[in-house]
Structure formats: structure tokens, C-alpha cells
Amino acid sequence: MSNKIPLGLSKSRIYLTTSIFLILTYYIYIIVDTASLGKTLNYSNIKYIIGVLLKASISTLFILILSSTFKFKYLNLLLFIIVSIISSAILFVKIQYGSFELGSYISIMETNTKETIELFHSIDIPFIVFFQLIITPFILFRLNQYLGGFKVNLVLILALILLIGLSSSQAKNNSIFSVSLTGEVVLVPMSRAYYILFNMPLLKPIALSQSYSKLKKIENTPIKAEWEDIIVSNSSNKKNYVVIIGESVQKSSLFSYGYHRNTTKPLKETNGMTLISDPIAPAPQTGMALSRILAINDKLNINNNLNIIDLANLSGFNTFWFSNQGQIGIYDSPITNIAKRTDLTIFHNKSYEQANSDFVLIEDLEAHLDGNSNNVYFLHMIGSHFDFCERTKNAIKLEDAYREQLKDEQNCYDDTILNTSIFINKVVSLLESTSLDYEIIYFSDHGLVDIERKPYKSHGVGSLFQRKALEVPLIFISSSKTSSDMQNTTYFMRDFPHTFAEWLGVTATQIDYTKSVFHPRIKQEKYALNDSSEIIYFTK
């Protein structure tokens, strides 16, 4: 019996076939969205499956052409390493969040070295990601050996052109973000070129960068206050107002909202609290959420010229912004852009070189606390930001029977909530030491969702998007109240500027008190945005 492998099944052909199959499988996995597949096989599902196979085949052909074009050893080494890194990064995002979309791209672009290191320390990177990072260059080098020549490349290129032509016919059914002549963010039909880039995972960052740059154009537009007909009803009653902005806080992790661990024990003796039962953040990520909380907005459009800091300034208040978040790398986020409108702005950890405690903000507040003026202080916490254990390594810990039952990261997250409660309590104590009445608002920019893998909490992006990712605490504390209560209200935090205005006792042409949380019959549209800036409506 002969042991020879037939010519059609030679080792080189087996290797070539296996490599192409692995690449195709990778792209199918990256592109497919299981949520878009129905449980029954119908026309719509068949059409979707064909679309996925078509896009995966285009990406596979592109890689085959790319790997076979050059024959220079060191150029190929550099090229294949770059392909490997991008492919592995996209695979990781797919596993972690379900898809690689604009929200994920923005997070990568606005994350610096320190944050990245913290992220990698706080998560489990699947073995398959490391495997792909290592094996991809070897696969591409072998393909480079087996493929090549004018005829092979010509066939591959012609096949790629044919498939691109078939796929790009769907461009008209998709939209992208753009900037209108009036400077607003709008959705416009995709061009064929953009559609192809968007649906080729390796080149998708190019397409996302175009959308990102257009959004940054809006975010970095100079601000010119547009508030009209401002009236202040209580200008003679001097008070200190404090807005405490938390980070990545799940409402369900607060004992005050029914959590089984006493994470808010420091607030137990605090009088004058009003907890809003069901606050909904505008989006599952800081940039998209907080920019809407701070300024008048509608759907995809945010008018930074109608921000709450300018409203306070024009109403005669002294304004302060103390931040432990940093200024987000080389890009001025829309949040920083608005924050700089205050009379005094202090940023800690400008490059995230140190993981400072949020209690540095208490020191800022104490140093600038004025007992003889109307002041509005914004304290932007790092709060429950990744890495949870890094946040609490020198902080007070929860000591209870549950600690032994939970993973380290789960305990650390609960510890961040405990220390946030301590922080709020210290703000209350500091304000009570002055001769003025005070008002405090505490809320988080967005929530998190529970996941089964380390770090057991995640941003609700991609396939993880759900209502819980938007459920945040909203707490009012007033020196004029002697008891605490829960207000049973669903409130969409994107309309916070209207609440802020009523809280200060201010009216303006653009303020609508029916969108304030204090109004007995709130009139709000029930929607939020996901990380792809899609408008998601809620029925309850």
C-alpha cells in the first residue's frame, strides 16, 4: 500500500486550503452578529448569511492578495506583524463586546498608556487572542511562499473586484455619521468605498476614523453661549451647590437602591436625601453620555453652546470644575471643552500617570469653598473606573460575610461604591461646616453590566448593550430637608440641563421644566443611544 499523498492532496495544497479556511472562519466570526440571526430559517436569515459569507470572502481574498504581493523578507515581516496585531485586537473586542463599532474605536483613540495597562491588568485575555497574535505571521509567511505569480494574483484580484461589486450594491441601505452645513451631526447614506472599508475588519478602523474625525470636529468647535432670557428666582439666597459626577456606577450595586451588601453605609445617617428610583443614562460610555448630560441635546445632536456651565455663569454663579479623570490624551473631549468654561478648572492625572484617590477633589473643594457667595462646584470622580482593584488598593474595604464568596474584582468593585459613599459623606460634612445652605447632586455618567469573566463588570457596548448598562444612581441631598425618601420616577438623564436649571432656580428660553425630574408630569421621549449611536427606544 503506497504512503504517498496524491498530487491533489499534497502537503502544500493541504496547508494552503487549511490556511484559507482558517482565515475565512476568522472573518465569518468577526463579521457575524448572532443577534441578527433569527431562530428559524427564512428569506431574511438566508440573505443575512449570504451577506456574511460574501463579506468574509472579500476580506479573505484581500488578505491572500496582501500576503502574496511582496517578496521582501523584512517588509513582509513588518506587514504581517501589523496585520496580526490589528486582527488580534479586533478579535479581542469581538469576544469582549460582541462587535467592533464606533464606540469601541472612540474608547481606543481616547485611551492612553496608563489606562491601557490598567485595562489589561483587569481583564482576562482569551488564549485564542494570544494564539492568533503569534500564529498569524507564520500563516501569512507560508501563504507568501505558496501564492504568487501573475496568473494567481490576477485571478485573486478579479475575484475580489467581482465580490466587491456584488457587496457594494448594498451601500445605499446603510448610513454613516457626517457633519451638516449647520454644524450638526447627521446620518447620510454610505458611499460604496466607505461601505467596503466598513465591512472589511482589517480596514474598518480607516472607516471608523473618518466618522470619529467628523465627530471630533463637532466636539472641538469653539463654544459661544446661546442662552436667552435668563431669570434667577433666588439670587438673594446664597448657597453652595455641588454636582458630584461618578464613573461607571451600577445603580444595582448601591445598598440604597436595594443591593444586598451595605455599600452605602456611610450615607445611612445622611439626612435630606432624595433618591430617584429609575434614572437612565444617555449612553453606555462616558464621552457619549456625559456630553449629553452637560448640554441641551436632541437625538444625535448636542448643542455645546447650551451647556449647564454657561447657564450657571450667566446666572451669576461662580463655577468650579475639579476633575480626577484627566483630559483624555491629546484630544480635548467635549467634556473637557465644556469644563473649561468654568471660572476655575483643575485636572488631576492629566496623563493618567498616577491613579490618585478621588479624595484629592475634597481637598480642592475645601481650598476653594466660599461661605459668602453663590457657587457651583463640579467634582468629576474617577470612581469605579477600571481597574477596580487599582482604584481601591489603598482604600477602605467592605468587610462582610459575602467577601469570601466573591471574586477579587467583584469585591473591589463593591469597594469602589463604598468609597464613593464615603466621598459623598465627606462633601456633606464639609458643606455643613460653612454658614451657607447647600444642595448636592450625585449621579454616574453610565452603568455597567455583569459578565461571567474577569473583571465581571463591563461597559454595555456591542452585544452587551442592555437597559442595565444605563441604570445609574441619581441622588439629591439638601440642607433644607430633614428626612430622606425615594422618588418613584423614571428619568432619562439626557434632559439633565432642565433639572439643573430648576435645581438652581433658573429659567431661560431654552429650558423646559416639564423635562425636569422635579416636574410631577415629566414629558420625555423614552430613548437612549447605544455605542454605535443608534437610537434605542424603551417601552417602559
Side-chain angles (χ1 to χ4, degrees), residues 244-255 257 263-264 279 281 284 286 358 381-386 388 413-414 416-421 424 442-449 457-459 468-475:
I244 304 173
I245 304 170
E247 165 70 42
S248 301
V249 175
Q250 284 180 318
K251 184 188 72 175
S252 59
S253 294
L254 274 69
F255 179 77
Y257 280 95
T263 52
T264 54
T286 299
D358 279 321
M381 304 175 67
I382 202 166
S384 301
H385 193 288
F386 289 128
F388 310 138
Y413 183 80
D414 287 349
T416 68
I417 306 300
L418 173 67
N419 283 273
T420 293
S421 301
I424 296 171
Y442 168 75
F443 62 83
S444 180
D445 52 0
H446 59 81
L448 297 175
V449 297
K457 307 283 184 182
S458 175
H459 286 74
K468 187 174 182 179
L470 308 174
E471 294 176 352
V472 294
L474 174 58
I475 302 173

Side-chain angles (χ1 to χ4, degrees), residues 426-486:
K426 285 185 176 293
V427 171
V428 172
S429 298
L430 189 57
L431 293 175
E432 286 179 342
S433 69
T434 71
S435 59
L436 294 186
D437 287 336
Y438 60 83
E439 303 286 343
I440 300 171
I441 297 177
Y442 168 75
F443 62 83
S444 180
D445 52 0
H446 59 81
L448 297 175
V449 297
D450 297 309
I451 57 176
E452 295 298 322
R453 57 187 179 275
K454 187 180 178 181
Y456 306 104
K457 307 283 184 182
S458 175
H459 286 74
V461 299
S463 63
L464 296 179
F465 179 81
Q466 55 188 269
R467 194 181 193 275
K468 187 174 182 179
L470 308 174
E471 294 176 352
V472 294
L474 174 58
I475 302 173
F476 295 85
I477 305 175
S478 175
S479 60
S480 63
K481 286 187 64 177
T482 57
S483 60
S484 297
D485 54 39
M486 175 80 76

